[in-house]
Amino acid sequence: MIGSNRSLPVVDSFGRVHKSFRISVTDRCNIRCFYCMPETVRFLPRHEILTFEEITRVAKIGASVGVSRIRLTGGEPLVRGQLWKLVQMLKAIDGIEDVALTTNGILLADQAAKLRSHGLDRVNISLDTLDPETFERITRRKGLDKVLAGIDAAIEAGFEQVRINAVSMAGITDAEIIPLAQFARRKQLELRFIEFMPLDGDEAWQREQVLTGEAIRQAIGQNVGLLEPVARPHAAQPATDYEYADGSGRVGFINSVSEPFCGSCDRIRMTAEGQFRNCLFSTREWDLRTLLRTGASDDQILATMRDSVAAKAAAHGIDSEEFQRPAKAMYQIGG
Ligand code: SAM
Ligand code: SF4
């Protein structure tokens, strides 16, 4: 039965309406990017990870109060067996208009067509470099060739959008920017640069390592092609997009550190073990798994989701004195 509070959207104390839900399906991964995971890592036992049915139930509750977009992430979502089944279950929910995936691409060549045929709308593929040695330095594993094959398979599968996400770090990926921009332009793929955030498993992040989106934009403008700003399709979009003046493609910048966009954030999150979060940088979580596994009603689960959103801070404040890192790293939250 639909409770009386079901018609109201999930709004926080700053009036932000939450429509976008990032769901982590695993904390496991087949590579070890230093900006995300420590080299040696102990993963969650499988029984702690939500089942597809549990994830779908939470997504359905979200959809009943206005969530319309879901992004599956992790860890590496494609290491979770039969992810296409979850895509199919989520796409069948009334009100869910868009299901997207963020992946490192290593297993994508095998899965792209199946995911597409079961309803996956869009794919973001993470690729920080086209140089095999730099790839290995960042990921502590080999596999660039597999990621490139994954990108081609995604293009072939005909997703609504295939986008490349690149994390930029001073002293590590400076020389990668121009080749990546040329690669994306050649392949007609949108490229987004993400600033390095203090969510690395090694807790070694330094402000000086952040290669700002603005510096990258200037380098691309000078070396690849003139860039012109594009109007935001919706206010909650985290990236600032630019288009090549000759119409040959787009580059976006997620300047989470140098230009936070918290004021228009419409995202809520759930970790692989069913902990609900109101922000990537939240230091608090709301335990949906216990509710799911102890017979709580949909209204009780929704009430907890609302409590979390109501407690959402105005901004993450990475650059402020009071900033406190969350206890979890990126792979444990879901990027
Ligand atoms: N494994 C998948 C992947 O790599 O695309 C999905 C999960 S990963 C945590 C999601 C995104 O977060 C990736 O694009 C990754 O590059 C990015 N990321 C991870 N750690 C980051 C950090 N410390 N700062 C900025 N972005 C980060
Ligand atoms: Fe794995 Fe993605 Fe984290 Fe890299 S960023 S270690 S691919 S979860």
Side-chain angles (χ1 to χ4, degrees), residues 85-224:
K85 278 192 182 165
L86 178 62
V87 169
Q88 192 176 39
M89 288 159 82
L90 296 174
K91 281 290 284 189
I93 297 173
D94 256 0
I96 296 299
E97 292 162 8
D98 183 72
V99 178
L101 171 78
T102 299
T103 172
N104 63 27
I106 301 253
L107 298 173
L108 193 55
D110 285 344
Q111 299 189 33
K114 191 148 195 175
L115 288 162
R116 180 64 180 144
S117 69
H118 287 86
L120 188 70
D121 295 293
R122 297 180 299 123
V123 185
N124 283 0
I125 302 163
S126 303
L127 177 67
D128 310 323
T129 174
L130 290 167
D131 175 56
E133 276 176 27
T134 310
F135 182 90
E136 200 172 336
R137 184 173 166 208
I138 294 173
T139 66
R140 300 159 167 146
R141 297 288 186 276
K142 293 190 193 301
L144 176 62
D145 51 338
K146 293 199 176 76
V147 180
L148 296 177
I151 292 172
D152 286 338
I155 297 169
E156 182 75 12
F159 290 104
E160 266 177 40
Q161 186 176 51
V162 179
R163 188 189 278 144
I164 306 294
N165 277 350
V167 179
S168 46
M169 291 150 293
I172 298 166
T173 59
D174 316 63
E176 311 306 317
I177 293 165
I178 304 304
L180 263 185
Q182 289 165 334
F183 169 84
R185 198 183 193 192
R186 202 169 56 242
K187 294 238 175 216
Q188 294 276 292
L189 298 172
E190 200 171 316
L191 171 64
R192 275 196 178 163
F193 287 95
I194 309 171
E195 287 180 349
F196 179 24
M197 295 181 273
L199 290 169
D200 52 318
D202 294 334
E203 301 196 18
W205 180 90
Q206 304 279 330
R207 182 71 172 80
E208 306 74 67
Q209 293 174 297
V210 178
L211 198 53
T212 65
E214 179 52 24
I216 298 170
R217 187 185 68 79
Q218 286 183 19
I220 294 176
Q222 283 161 16
N223 297 286
V224 185

Side-chain angles (χ1 to χ4, degrees), residues 31-43:
I31 55 177
R32 294 284 182 279
C33 307
F34 78 86
Y35 48 67
C36 175
M37 278 195 183
E39 167 79 78
T40 310
V41 51
R42 190 185 299 162
F43 295 117

